[in-house]
Amino acid sequence: MTFYFINILVISLMFVPMMLRCDFFEAFLKSMVGSIQFIIDEFNTFRLRKLYEMNINAQIIYLEKFLNDKYNAAGTFTDIYITDYLIDDEKMYMGNPDEEDAEIYFGDTYIIGHSYGIGEECIYGGTTWQSLVDDNMDLPAEGVSWTAVADDEIIYIGNSDEYPAMYTFIVHITTTHWAVISDLENEMRSYINRYKLLGTKYTLDIYEEI
């Protein structure tokens, strides 16, 4: 890593005979290699910036750090923070959502004269039907007694509101802070879009600090 941080003037002076090492010659040499040193310094600055950006990812702790380093470097305002839009204590399940309320009765064809309870299912006419009432002996058809169970029903793995939710996470910024950086909203959103997980959605919450 130290290989990149070199001082061209010092290296150049090492090749100058001792008898020529005076202030005048050093100033002359510096004027010759100064542009090279400028390019090296610019490269080092660029390299450090890119190394920093490569350490940023979609994890909340890193995204929060980046936003605060960028827009609250002096720590003048309350830190920008991110929260999950989902309900923390929501139950997690796997499978079709209506399985939780249905009795275990599936895979059988409809039996004429059999009494079906709420949630019981049967196959009739190539379609799976679920009873909506108790003591159901009606012929399966869409209506008050039966409902068709869609074959292409979404399979949920995780929290069910991850799918219809409007946003995935929220970026919280105080009103006093926002008053200073609101003109940079497009820039901030471009950075968030760069580092957030693909497909996730977010919103900004400008709140009054108590």
Side-chain angles (χ1 to χ4, degrees):
M1 182 173 181
T2 55
F3 169 77
Y4 299 99
F5 299 94
I6 57 179
N7 191 315
I8 293 296
L9 178 60
V10 172
I11 295 176
S12 300
L13 283 173
M14 291 173 60
F15 294 95
V16 176
M18 291 294 296
M19 65 182 65
L20 296 178
R21 293 185 186 183
C22 60
D23 293 341
F24 173 77
F25 190 84
E26 183 176 339
F28 172 72
L29 189 61
K30 187 175 182 180
S31 67
M32 294 179 61
V33 301
S35 57
I36 300 176
Q37 187 65 54
F38 174 79
I39 293 173
I40 292 175
D41 292 342
E42 286 292 297
F43 168 75
N44 285 327
T45 301
F46 173 80
R47 177 177 174 274
L48 291 174
R49 183 171 70 251
K50 289 304 176 182
L51 287 175
Y52 171 79
E53 291 178 358
M54 289 172 63
N55 287 325
I56 305 299
N57 57 39
Q59 292 185 50
I60 289 177
I61 185 172
Y62 291 111
L63 190 52
E64 284 180 344
K65 181 181 186 303
F66 173 81
L67 292 175
N68 283 294
D69 286 348
K70 186 73 177 178
Y71 301 104
N72 190 26
T76 307
F77 306 97
T78 300
D79 283 350
I80 297 172
Y81 70 97
I82 298 172
T83 58
D84 197 337
Y85 186 80
L86 304 177
I87 302 171
D88 294 334
D89 59 354
E90 181 179 330
K91 294 180 180 179
M92 182 176 292
Y93 64 89
M94 181 181 297
N96 294 325
D98 63 354
E99 289 179 1
E100 312 308 317
D101 300 323
E103 296 181 24
I104 301 176
Y105 190 91
F106 56 89
D108 294 335
T109 57
Y110 174 74
I111 302 174
I112 298 176
H114 178 78
S115 177
Y116 293 87
I118 294 178
E120 290 185 336
E121 297 180 356
C122 66
I123 298 173
Y124 179 79
T127 301
T128 302
W129 297 89
Q130 186 178 84
S131 177
L132 300 176
V133 296
D134 278 325
D135 301 323
N136 187 5
M137 299 179 66
D138 297 337
L139 200 66
E142 196 66 47
V144 295
S145 300
W146 294 95
T147 184
V149 179
D151 294 332
D152 59 351
E153 186 174 0
I154 296 174
I155 305 297
Y156 291 95
I157 300 178
N159 294 325
S160 59
D161 64 356
E162 288 180 6
Y163 298 88
M166 186 176 297
Y167 302 109
T168 309
F169 63 94
I170 306 173
V171 180
H172 302 272
I173 309 172
T174 64
T175 52
T176 53
H177 191 179
W178 185 247
V180 176
I181 64 173
S182 58
D183 292 340
L184 302 175
E185 178 179 356
N186 290 335
E187 178 188 274
M188 177 183 288
R189 287 184 179 276
S190 70
Y191 281 120
I192 296 174
N193 291 334
R194 178 193 299 179
Y195 295 118
K196 73 180 182 66
L197 287 177
L198 182 65
T200 57
K201 296 172 290 185
Y202 67 93
T203 185
L204 301 180
D205 171 39
I206 312 305
Y207 68 97
E208 188 73 39
E209 190 172 20
I210 299 176

